[in-house]
């Protein structure tokens, strides 16, 4: 899998989502990386009731919940739209 040092040619894909600490969530990627983030950075996730957060599912390149109208995409998690965008349109920054 790793022909060059690091993750230069690896397409990030979500494998698992968990909530190991209050106010945080963790995304495990298929390539072995894990990223922990504050729930507060994702207002749509913050609105998902705590009892429902473990009932996530994959949709496209992201995750969502039955009670959530948004999909949290991998580029939102990794924070670098230009490198991880799954669409070709440009994203305007606030």
């Amino acid at each position: 899998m790793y022909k060059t040092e690091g993750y230069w040619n690896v397409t990030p894909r979500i494998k698992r989502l968990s909530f190991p600490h209050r106010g945080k969530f963790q995304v495990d990627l298929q390539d072995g990386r894990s990223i922990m983030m504050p729930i507060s950075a994702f207002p749509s996730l913050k609105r998902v009731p705590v009892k429902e957060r473990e009932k996530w599912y994959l949709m496209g390149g992201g995750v969502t919940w039955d009670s959530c109208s948004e999909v949290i995409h991998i580029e939102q998690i990794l924070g670098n739209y230009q490198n991880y965008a799954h669409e070709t349109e440009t994203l305007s920054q606030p």
Side-chain angles (χ1 to χ4, degrees):
M1 174 184 215
Y2 305 104
K3 294 180 181 175
T4 61
E5 189 168 339
Y7 293 91
W8 289 103
N9 297 312
V10 177
T11 301
R13 301 208 190 284
I14 297 170
K15 178 180 181 180
R16 184 178 15 253
L17 195 73
S18 61
F19 298 85
H21 304 289
R22 185 175 181 186
K24 304 265 186 198
F25 74 106
Q26 180 173 317
V27 176
D28 297 324
L29 302 180
Q30 290 177 356
D31 60 28
R33 290 181 283 176
S34 295
I35 302 121
M36 188 165 310
M37 295 149 290
I39 291 172
S40 61
F42 297 86
S44 59
L45 171 54
K46 196 172 180 180
R47 290 189 293 272
V48 173
V50 174
K51 292 180 181 180
E52 293 180 29
R53 290 182 182 166
E54 294 289 341
K55 298 176 184 175
W56 59 274
Y57 58 94
L58 294 171
M59 179 177 276
V63 295
T64 193
W65 296 259
D66 285 335
S67 62
C68 182
S69 61
E70 302 289 330
V71 176
I72 297 175
H73 292 280
I74 189 66
E75 59 269 5
Q76 291 169 277
I77 293 165
L78 295 173
N80 190 336
Y81 184 84
Q82 288 74 22
N83 289 342
Y84 302 112
H86 66 283
E87 298 177 4
T88 55
E89 63 186 73
T90 41
L91 177 72
S92 55
Q93 297 291 326

